[in-house]
């Protein structure tokens, strides 16, 4: 053992080591925090919703005349109506404040459960606190199947 | 770094954090003879915290209903970003926690640390061990798979072997004669609220008594 090993290292050298250790500990802490934070932040993000943009396909044979068929299209409720005048597709959202209107086969009218708006089978306003008719949704009929896309 | 230091100082001035940190972390004296095996209890507590945290995340999507439970777990695993990881950590964490609790238990038994004045550490520890195993058992049913169903069926059959009152206990645990949606709801409430709350109470007791008596010194 030489004498120099027992001497305390010069101050600037010890400071260098101290800073190095601090940087290492700090770096590892940040890296550890990031490995936890990244998956947690991802988890809190939006989940993948399968089939959100899938077209709605309903065979005409499954639609009873005068009955409404509800389906989900792009995250919104739509209502398919079939009677002697043909088929119509509306957004179920009431143009007043967005509640879903209910089809009542007894009087062949749409009733909004929230504020009592009433629409006829063509989506036109009959009564209630609303001036716009139900929004029409474009559709096509192919080989006896209603397709909304 | 300067800024972080100044923010810390602001809190330190008001809450006097430095003496707390010195007393409990940086200047804490532990017996020289204490080995790494003394860490099992602390590690078991760490896994408990991981379980609580990942459990809170899973609770955002899990649905405790027979017709929805399996689908919701599948949704977490395949549709939620990093959901597979959180779900897997929660499953593996449960097994890890049991292993650590039993290693802690074995060490305390082997070194006879349970002797006076530490009898209550032992008793609260045994209660915590039972709670840990019941939490694992109730959690096992929640994904509502074939494995979970039959695991719960066999597990709840065990108290049924007790003479006279066994069937009553079994039916009480199952909330009926068979494993059903009621069993799932009961196990769910035990798993996410009742048992963790009781466990936290016993943990406080366990840790506060260790502060009181100090860590046992090996001979």
């Amino acid at each position: 053992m030489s004498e120099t090993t027992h001497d305390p290292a010069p101050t600037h050298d010890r400071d260098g080591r101290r800073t190095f250790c601090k940087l290492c500990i700090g770096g590892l802490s940040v890296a550890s925090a990031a490995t936890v934070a990244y998956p947690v932040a991802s988890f809190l993000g939006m989940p993948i919703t399968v089939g959100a943009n899938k077209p709605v396909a309903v065979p005409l044979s499954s639609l009873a005349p005068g009955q409404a068929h509800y389906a989900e299209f792009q995250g919104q409720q739509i209502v398919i109506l079939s009677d002697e005048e043909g088929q119509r597709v509306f957004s179920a959202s009431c143009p007043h404040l967005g509640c879903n209107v209910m089809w009542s086969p007894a009087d062949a009218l749409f009733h909004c459960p929230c504020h009592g708006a009433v629409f006829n089978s063509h989506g036109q306003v009959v009564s209630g606190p609303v001036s716009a008719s139900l929004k029409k949704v474009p559709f096509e009929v192919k080989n006896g199947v209603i397709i909304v896309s | 770094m300067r800024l972080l230091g100044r923010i810390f100082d602001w809190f330190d001035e008001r809450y006097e954090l430095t003496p707390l940190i010195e007393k409990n972390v940086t200047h804490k004296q532990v017996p020289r003879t204490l080995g790494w095996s003394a860490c099992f209890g602390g590690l078991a507590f760490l896994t408990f915290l991981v379980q609580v945290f990942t459990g809170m995340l899973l609770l955002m999507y899990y649905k405790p209903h027979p017709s929805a439970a399996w689908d919701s777990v599948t949704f977490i695993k395949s549709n939620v970003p990093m959901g597979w990881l959180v779900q897997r950590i929660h499953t593996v964490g449960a097994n890890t926690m049991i292993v650590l609790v039993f290693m802690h238990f074995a060490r305390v038994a082997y070194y006879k640390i349970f002797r006076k004045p530490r009898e209550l550490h032992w008793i609260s520890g045994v209660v915590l061990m039972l709670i840990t195993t019941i939490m694992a058992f109730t959690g096992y049913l929640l994904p509502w798979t074939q494995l979970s169903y039959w695991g719960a069926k066999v597990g709840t059959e065990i108290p049924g072997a007790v003479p006279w009152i066994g069937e009553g206990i079994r039916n009480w645990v199952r909330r009926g004669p068979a494993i059903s949606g009621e069993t799932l709801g009961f196990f769910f409430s035990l798993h996410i609220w009742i048992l963790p709350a009781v466990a936290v109470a016993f943990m406080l007791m366990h840790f506060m008594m260790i502060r009181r008596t100090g860590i046992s010194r090996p001979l």
Side-chain angles (χ1 to χ4, degrees), chain A residues 25-51:
Chain A
I25 292 168
L28 285 171
S29 308
V30 170
S32 315
T35 51
V36 175
Y38 175 68
V40 170
S42 314
F43 190 94
L44 296 176
M46 292 290 280
I48 308 152
T49 39
V50 179

Side-chain angles (χ1 to χ4, degrees), chain A residues 52-72:
Chain A
N53 292 314
K54 237 177 30 189
V56 173
V58 181
L60 285 174
S61 55
S62 73
L63 296 170
Q67 299 287 334
H69 180 93
Y70 283 82
E72 197 177 308

Side-chain angles (χ1 to χ4, degrees), chain B residues 5 19 21 40 43 53 74 77 81 83 111 116 124 126 171 180 212:
Chain B
I21 294 169
F40 291 142
L43 287 173
F53 188 65
T74 309
K77 288 202 274 194
Y111 288 115
K116 193 183 172 186
S124 58
V126 169
N171 291 352
S180 63
R212 178 69 54 82

Side-chain angles (χ1 to χ4, degrees), chain B residues 135-165:
Chain B
M135 277 199 286
F137 177 68
T138 50
Y140 196 70
L141 179 68
L142 302 187
W144 205 247
T145 60
Q146 282 289 325
L147 269 177
S148 337
Y149 179 86
W150 293 103
K153 189 161 177 74
V154 171
T156 49
E157 206 65 71
I158 294 169
V162 178
W164 301 301
I165 54 164

